[in-house]
Amino acid sequence: MICNLEKKDIEEFKTTNILPQTPFWARVKRNQGFIPKGFELTISKDLLFSTANSLEKKSEDLLVLIKYVDNVNCFAYIPYGPKLEPAFENQGLFLEQLSESIKPFLPPNCIFIRYDLIWENQWALEEEYFDNHGNWIGPPPSATQEYRLNFNTANWNLHKSIEDNLPKNTFFLDLTLKDQDLLNNMRYNTRYNVKKANKKGIRVLEYGIDHMGQWYKLYQETAMRHNMPLQNQEYFAAILKNQDNSKKGVSVKMLMADFGGSFLSSMFLVLSKKRGTYLYGASTSCKNNLMASYSLQWESIRIAKEWGCSEYDMFGSAPNLNQAHPLHGVHIYKKGFGGNIYHRMGCWDYPYNKKLYNLYRVQEIKK
C-alpha cells in the first residue's frame, strides 16, 4: 500500500466541488487564525479498495489547516477531506496510513489531526438505523462507531470527535433538471411561497462589499432570534474579498431580497466548479408574510444552474424530523426545496500525543 505526500502551493490546487478544499477556503481561514498547508496526496488504489491493483495510483490535492491552542501546541484540521473515498471496510486503514504519512510534515508539537469527513455515513445505509417512517435516527454511540472504523487498523487510534465542525447533514439538489422540474420537486407549500413572493414584488439582486452593512444588520437580527454566536462583520467581508471571481476558482455572490427598497433576506451563494453552496443566510422577522427567503433561495438555485453547476448544496440541516433538534426549522425549510438528504461521517481524530489530546477533549466537553 502506498500513501505519499508532497508539499504543493495551495494556489496551484485543481478546481473542485468541495469548497473547504479550495485556495479560497485557505485564504478565508488564514484570516481566522489558521495556518494553511497544501499537499498532493498519492495513494495506491488498494488503500481504497482491498481488491484493487496495488500498482494503480490515485492523486488529489489536500488542504490542511494548523491551529495553535497555546504558544507551543497545535492540532491539524482537514476540512471536508480527504476527498478520495474508500470502501467502508478500508476507511479506518486509509485514515491511519494518511495520519502517519503526514505526521513528518506537521509541527513537532501537533497534538492530533482532525478529519472532517465528507464520506457518506456508514450507518445511513443500514435499515436498522431508520424508524418506521423512513427517517434516519442517526449513528450508534461513539464507542460503536469507533469499533467499526478501527477494525482493520494497526494502532486502533481513531476517535469520534466531541463536536462536528462543518455541517454533517445536508440536502443536495440536482441542477441538471429543468427549472419546471425543480419547481415540481418542491413541496407544495414551498412552491406556493416561491410564487407568492414573486407575485408580491420581491426583488432579488446581487450586491457588493458596499452593502455589507445591510447584510450584517440582517445577520445580527437572525443570530439574536436563534440564539446563535455572533461573528463580526469582517468575518463576512473576508468571504467576499477572498473570492477568485473566476470559473477556474471560487465565485461568491451576496444576494439580497428587498421589497420597496427594504431588505428582508440575504445569503451568500458560493460557486465552486460544478457545485453551488448556500453558505450563510439571514433575514428579518418583519414582513415575513412576503416569503422573501423563498424567492431568494429559488433565485440562488437558478443562478447556480445558469453558472453551469450540476448540484446545489444546502449546507446544513438536522439529520431527521425530530422537532427537538435545534435545526428542525432549518430542516423543514430546506427539505421543502425537494433535494435529497445526505449524511456525512463528520469529524474524526487521530491523536499523536494521547495525554494532551485527552486534556483537549475535556476542554471541548466543557464548552
Side-chain angles (χ1 to χ4, degrees):
M1 292 181 178
I2 297 170
C3 184
N4 294 328
L5 293 111
E6 292 185 7
K7 293 181 180 179
K8 184 173 183 177
D9 186 340
I10 295 170
E11 295 298 331
E12 298 300 319
F13 276 18
K14 298 174 184 176
T15 56
T16 174
N17 289 351
I18 313 302
L19 179 63
Q21 280 291 313
T22 61
F24 161 79
W25 199 262
R27 294 190 293 269
V28 169
K29 289 300 172 181
R30 183 182 287 115
N31 290 344
Q32 297 172 10
F34 288 87
I35 302 171
K37 290 182 178 290
F39 299 94
E40 182 172 357
L41 169 66
T42 302
I43 64 168
S44 54
K45 286 187 71 175
D46 60 334
L47 194 51
L48 298 175
F49 310 102
S50 300
T51 57
N53 189 333
S54 62
L55 298 178
E56 293 185 52
K57 297 180 182 179
K58 300 253 321 169
S59 297
E60 70 169 28
D61 296 325
L62 188 68
L63 173 64
V64 180
L65 303 173
I66 307 298
K67 181 71 171 180
Y68 277 83
V69 297
D70 54 36
N71 292 332
V72 177
N73 300 297
C74 66
F75 67 89
Y77 171 58
I78 302 182
Y80 279 0
K83 300 188 290 292
L84 291 170
E85 184 168 352
F88 289 167
E89 64 271 16
N90 278 42
Q91 289 184 356
L93 178 62
F94 180 26
L95 293 176
E96 180 180 71
Q97 293 281 332
L98 177 54
S99 300
E100 293 297 336
S101 297
I102 202 172
K103 185 178 179 181
F105 296 92
L106 302 176
N109 291 318
C110 185
I111 302 171
F112 64 95
I113 185 167
R114 172 165 294 175
Y115 300 94
D116 208 330
L117 299 175
I118 57 169
W119 306 340
E120 187 166 17
N121 197 294
Q122 295 188 15
W123 293 272
L125 299 175
E126 299 181 7
E127 290 184 4
E128 64 182 291
Y129 294 100
F130 288 79
D131 64 21
N132 294 331
H133 302 287
N135 296 309
W136 191 53
I137 60 176
S142 294
T144 304
Q145 295 182 60
E146 291 172 359
Y147 182 84
R148 179 186 287 187
L149 203 67
N150 281 292
F151 189 72
N152 280 334
T153 65
N155 299 326
W156 210 268
N157 195 32
L158 290 161
H159 301 269
K160 185 70 186 77
S161 306
I162 297 298
E163 297 178 335
D164 293 299
N165 294 8
L166 292 168
K168 193 166 66 170
N169 309 284
T170 190
F171 285 95
F172 281 108
L173 275 70
D174 180 2
L175 298 188
T176 64
L177 300 174
K178 296 179 180 179
D179 284 8
Q180 189 57 52
D181 291 329
L182 286 168
L183 284 165
N184 291 340
N185 285 345
M186 294 180 187
R187 297 179 69 182
Y188 172 80
N189 288 344
T190 301
R191 186 167 59 250
Y192 174 82
N193 289 338
V194 168
K195 292 179 178 179
K196 179 181 178 180
N198 291 339
K199 287 180 180 178
K200 291 288 185 179
I202 295 296
R203 182 180 62 169
V204 178
L205 295 173
E206 179 183 355
Y207 294 88
I209 196 74
D210 55 316
H211 278 72
M212 183 55 64
Q214 286 89 333
W215 150 265
Y216 196 69
K217 287 179 183 178
L218 290 173
Y219 162 74
Q220 283 181 306
E221 182 178 337
T222 303
M224 288 186 285
R225 189 166 66 242
H226 295 288
N227 196 29
M228 295 160 47
L230 271 173
Q231 301 287 355
N232 59 36
Q233 188 168 319
E234 183 54 36
Y235 176 92
F236 297 103
I239 295 172
L240 283 181
K241 292 175 181 177
N242 282 291
Q243 65 177 308
D244 301 293
N245 278 318
S246 166
K247 287 198 174 185
K248 292 184 178 179
V250 171
S251 181
V252 181
K253 296 182 180 296
M254 187 172 74
L255 306 176
M256 302 184 75
D258 79 280
F259 179 76
S262 297
F263 292 112
L264 304 180
S265 185
S266 183
M267 65 173 287
F268 283 90
L269 167 63
V270 185
L271 303 157
S272 183
K273 199 176 181 180
K274 292 292 185 179
R275 180 181 293 176
T277 300
Y278 169 37
L279 192 59
Y280 292 106
S283 64
T284 178
S285 57
C286 300
K287 299 181 180 179
N288 55 12
N289 62 308
L290 296 177
M291 305 299 171
S293 63
Y294 288 87
S295 182
L296 177 70
Q297 192 68 243
W298 173 236
E299 183 62 19
S300 175
I301 291 167
R302 291 180 67 250
I303 289 172
K305 193 175 188 300
E306 291 172 2
W307 181 266
C309 295
S310 59
E311 59 186 20
Y312 187 88
D313 185 356
M314 285 289 192
F315 209 64
S317 74
N320 49 43
L321 291 170
N322 181 1
Q323 294 185 6
H325 196 284
L327 293 179
H328 173 71
V330 171
H331 183 99
I332 295 297
Y333 168 74
K334 293 181 178 181
K335 179 182 175 68
F337 285 88
N340 296 313
I341 195 165
Y342 183 86
H343 307 286
R344 300 182 172 105
M345 284 288 286
C347 286
W348 286 80
D349 299 337
Y350 188 94
Y352 296 123
N353 184 319
K354 289 282 187 72
K355 182 179 179 180
L356 291 181
Y357 173 70
N358 289 334
L359 289 174
Y360 185 85
R361 281 176 68 91
V362 169
Q363 294 302 314
E364 283 193 304
I365 293 171
K366 289 180 179 179
K367 285 182 181 178

